[in-house]
Amino acid sequence: MHLLLTIGLFIALLGVPILLLIQRIIGADSLGLSSRAAMWVIAAVVLAIAAASFSNWRSSIGLEVPKISAIVVSVAATFCVLISWPLVDAILRKKGWGTAIEKDPFIKLVALSLPYRAFLVLTAGVTEEILYRGYAMGIGSQLFGSSTMALIVSLFVFVTSHFRWGFSHLFSVLWAALILSMLFVITNNLVACIFAHTLIDAVGLLLAPLGMAGKAKNAVTVRTGV
């Protein structure tokens, strides 16, 4: 059982980074449907490993109906991440590093259709929380013998797996991941983490681009007088 859980931890931590590396080598689109489907498969595999290893696996990964208190903390965590974005962007611009919305991956992403971006948001919110919070922290704490070590390792792998978005974006990812990790520690509820992660990404990838498009349209109107 210990060996099987260790294999599951390896898959949870390195499954997505290895997938991204392979895609980079073969020139595949990391935002493509096959890539996102692979993330669901990886998440399903680690859940199956957990379920096959012991009877109280749902409790270990926090896969339970959240209490009201967990929902409240989840909303607070989401708000904490969202209100920090303007400050982080201001710091990055002051340093001359640029922000994520100025990078090619983000520009490519917002050019996708709204339904597909919604699918990407849902995929990231569900699969990444299963892998990096539920399994890597929930079960990882048992394998490492330390909740702190599980948090540090999962946090490091999660942040570095977003390196393709650019070095400057890692600061935002680190802050969001730290909040989500602390949310899991406080609530021990995976559903609360999925809710927060999905809502954060929805604001960044669904609502923010609409605002950007509106500003761009207004700017054109002012310049042209149309």
Side-chain angles (χ1 to χ4, degrees):
M1 183 180 73
H2 187 276
L3 176 60
L4 185 60
L5 288 175
T6 302
I7 293 174
L9 181 61
F10 177 86
I11 296 173
L13 289 172
L14 299 180
V16 173
I18 290 175
L19 172 66
L20 293 173
L21 179 61
I22 293 175
Q23 291 171 338
R24 186 179 183 85
I25 292 174
I26 65 177
D29 183 7
S30 62
L31 297 177
L33 183 59
S34 60
S35 172
R36 301 302 101 176
M39 292 181 64
W40 285 96
V41 171
I42 294 172
V45 168
V46 300
L47 288 179
I49 290 175
S53 299
F54 45 85
S55 58
N56 65 333
W57 66 277
R58 289 186 180 86
S59 177
S60 295
I61 67 172
L63 189 56
E64 298 175 329
V65 176
K67 298 178 180 179
I68 297 298
S69 58
I71 295 175
V72 171
V73 176
S74 178
V75 171
T78 303
F79 183 73
C80 184
V81 173
L82 294 179
I83 63 173
S84 70
W85 280 354
L87 176 60
V88 173
D89 283 353
I91 294 174
L92 294 177
R93 290 182 185 281
K94 186 175 181 179
K95 294 291 185 179
W97 292 341
T99 62
I101 63 175
E102 299 168 343
K103 306 297 181 180
D104 288 341
F106 185 83
I107 295 173
K108 179 181 179 181
L109 195 155
V110 297
L112 299 171
S113 67
L114 182 60
Y116 191 72
R117 274 186 282 139
F119 168 68
L120 294 178
V121 166
L122 181 63
T123 297
V126 175
T127 64
E128 290 182 353
E129 290 309 305
I130 289 174
L131 298 174
Y132 296 108
R133 250 64 68 181
Y135 199 103
M137 289 184 61
I139 295 179
S141 61
Q142 302 175 32
L143 296 175
F144 286 116
S146 169
S147 298
T148 301
M149 180 59 69
L151 187 154
I152 292 173
V153 172
S154 64
L155 190 65
F156 175 79
V157 176
F158 179 81
V159 172
T160 54
S161 67
H162 288 76
F163 190 79
R164 67 189 184 282
W165 290 85
F167 178 76
S168 60
H169 183 54
L170 296 186
F171 291 96
S172 297
V173 173
L174 175 61
W175 174 243
L178 182 60
I179 294 297
L180 290 170
S181 297
M182 293 308 300
L183 174 61
F184 185 79
V185 170
I186 294 171
T187 66
N188 191 37
N189 191 279
L190 180 61
V191 178
C193 294
I194 290 175
F195 173 78
H197 190 152
T198 303
L199 187 56
I200 291 168
D201 282 1
V203 171
L205 302 180
L206 300 181
L207 298 182
L210 294 178
M212 292 164 55
K215 289 181 180 179
K217 182 177 181 180
N218 290 336
V220 171
T221 301
V222 170
R223 288 196 301 268
T224 61
V226 177

